[in-house]
Amino acid sequence: MDEIRPTLNRRMREILQLIRENNLEVSLPIDNQEILWDPVFLEKLGVLHHVFDLKNNKSFLQGDQPLFIVPNDERRTLKSYENDNFRYAEDDGQEDGHDVEDDDEYTAFEFHEEEWEWAGILDGLETEMIFDDPYPDIESWGVELDSQGGQPRAGPKTVPFVSSNSEKVGVASTTDMLQLEGIECLAWYTPKGSARRLWGIYIQRYAAAVVAESFFRDMDSRYEAWCLASRLILNHEYFHFLSQYHCDRTYTGEPRTERYAMYDRFWTANPIVAMEEAAANGYAFQRSAKTNAEKKFSEDFLFWMPEPYNRFKEFLPPVGVRAVVYQQEHRTSLPALTDLNPTSNSVFKPTPAEKVPIYFVDFVPEGHVGPKMVTFEHIVFSKAVSKRIKKGKVPEGVVKKLRKTILALKGGTFDRVKDLNCMNSKTHFAQKNLNGGWRAIWAQIKDRNGWVIVFLGDHDEYQHYQTVHGL
């Protein structure tokens, strides 16, 4: 399948050119049209990262965000989490008719700091730390730019670019690249069956920011714009994975990837006739844009792309699925869309039994912003939560479970996120697997690195806190 994916060679040449421009000491292969896509080499350079394996895009995109470290200007201050609108029960000095100070039997367990070995976490907010801004050169969000009517609003920021009709590495703005080649200049799917390339979904780390800054600048939040762009890009590429997965699944010949390889050759030779890119955009649009505002922003972005990408509205599910199934089988132009077999979309119904690897190309061109995946280098408690634990107001099983999660996550990266669920705010995690229906809320705080656990309480307290703080 290698010889029918010249686009992947062009992407590799662009990445290597970026490295040449920014690191003159690295020894790189001489540029040529048939340059080797070497993932091991890119990993050694720190350019390519296998960030996670994706089995169900719906649960990932709707349930496991936040994906990125939140920009500092969009975070809340620690004080805002401890305002006067919320009180833990014991803050009133009374609980269940008992005087908290006088009734030692009320304590859930007796806390000994040495036994729990939590000094660094419980007292973390009292330790002076130098804030390391994850995006020191980021522009203010919402700055008015001269553009309207669905036209891109970002600047002329250029990157290396090899077009399909050129042998040389040139330069182009990212919006021009999108208009020439669609999403595949920012992210792409490498099919299974390649002898030279690791299969999976590849995403440029600056891709979400490029789309957000160019097309979603009127959204209230930069972070929400990043998330919408991420959903569109990942859902588009995930559709390509589904396309191959179900093509291989229903093929009875050997090797199982052969029919998809034949279809891929047809698609590469007839990019305007094959409608998979339109179907992928239709799928991404339906799965990613939920509100009317998100739909309008997404339409502006998707209509900006070339044919057939910009025909996405003709190929919304299930029409797009039917078109792909037909062309995988027949490798010809489509008949009238109304003539497509209405039951063929059932081919895509079974949930994939395997995960697709997701790789980030972690190299951001000068002048661009690269959203950073969440990490867990620093985890501490807010003073209110620390005080509650130290005073023995938290059941021992809750403390043990929370401690276990923290120790498992601390120092880890995004692929190790476990037992944390995204809240409605999209920028906070809720931990719901604690004993007795207790909950913890994890937040990224303004002018602080890492995570602060700003709330720890039972189910009723959690619901009240969530309402009061708009989470």
Side-chain angles (χ1 to χ4, degrees), residues 18-33:
L18 274 177
I19 298 172
R20 288 189 183 93
E21 292 175 357
N22 290 270
N23 194 335
L24 301 178
E25 297 179 359
V26 175
S27 177
L28 298 176
I30 297 174
D31 184 47
N32 64 80
Q33 285 182 272

Side-chain angles (χ1 to χ4, degrees), residues 225-461:
W226 283 358
C227 289
L228 175 58
S230 297
R231 293 197 298 271
L232 287 163
I233 292 168
L234 187 52
N235 271 318
H236 176 101
E237 300 306 332
Y238 188 78
F239 184 87
H240 292 320
F241 160 67
L242 291 177
S243 174
Q244 178 171 24
Y245 176 81
H246 292 297
C247 185
D248 293 351
R249 183 182 62 82
T250 56
Y251 184 55
T252 57
E254 290 293 338
R256 296 299 292 270
T257 56
E258 180 56 27
R259 182 165 67 181
Y260 188 82
M262 291 187 290
Y263 162 69
D264 208 30
R265 284 191 284 271
F266 158 75
W267 175 9
T268 303
N270 304 277
I272 305 300
V273 175
M275 284 296 156
E276 180 150 331
E277 299 295 4
N281 269 0
Y283 177 88
F285 178 76
Q286 187 180 70
R287 288 295 184 107
S288 307
K290 301 303 179 183
T291 67
N292 288 335
E294 288 182 348
K295 289 177 182 177
K296 178 61 172 66
F297 289 124
S298 300
E299 284 178 353
D300 290 344
F301 167 49
L302 299 176
F303 278 134
W304 181 253
M305 296 184 209
E307 192 174 351
Y309 292 83
N310 57 11
R311 294 177 60 185
F312 68 98
K313 282 206 165 180
E314 301 172 52
F315 295 90
L316 296 173
V319 176
V321 172
R322 295 170 188 172
V324 169
V325 170
Y326 180 91
Q327 291 192 313
Q328 287 178 348
E329 184 69 34
H330 301 287
R331 296 180 290 282
T332 63
S333 300
L334 291 175
L337 297 182
T338 53
D339 293 338
L340 292 173
N341 181 356
T343 66
S344 62
N345 54 291
S346 64
V347 170
F348 274 57
K349 289 295 184 184
T351 300
E354 66 179 324
K355 298 178 181 179
V356 56
I358 309 293
Y359 299 94
F360 261 38
V361 181
D362 194 6
F363 202 93
V364 180
E366 185 177 355
H368 290 72
V369 175
K372 296 181 179 181
M373 304 293 280
V374 296
T375 58
F376 296 90
E377 290 95 344
H378 307 289
I379 305 170
V380 297
F381 290 130
S382 70
K383 291 181 180 178
V385 173
S386 178
K387 178 181 177 182
R388 202 173 199 201
I389 293 174
K390 288 181 175 181
K391 293 183 73 173
K393 307 305 179 185
V394 183
E396 185 173 11
V398 172
V399 179
K400 284 184 175 180
K401 196 66 166 283
L402 186 57
R403 178 178 183 269
K404 182 178 180 181
T405 301
I406 291 172
L407 295 178
L409 284 175
K410 199 171 185 185
T413 55
F414 174 81
D415 63 318
R416 290 178 59 188
V417 173
K418 185 180 179 182
D419 298 326
L420 304 181
N421 303 287
C422 182
M423 302 185 69
N424 292 333
S425 64
K426 299 298 183 187
T427 56
H428 296 69
F429 280 134
Q431 184 175 350
K432 299 181 179 181
N433 69 327
L434 301 173
N435 297 20
W438 278 58
R439 305 281 190 265
I441 296 177
W442 301 49
Q444 298 175 63
I445 303 296
K446 192 176 185 67
D447 297 328
R448 286 196 62 88
N449 296 119
W451 294 86
V452 178
I453 299 175
V454 295
F455 167 86
L456 180 62
D458 62 30
H459 179 68
D460 291 340
E461 290 173 327

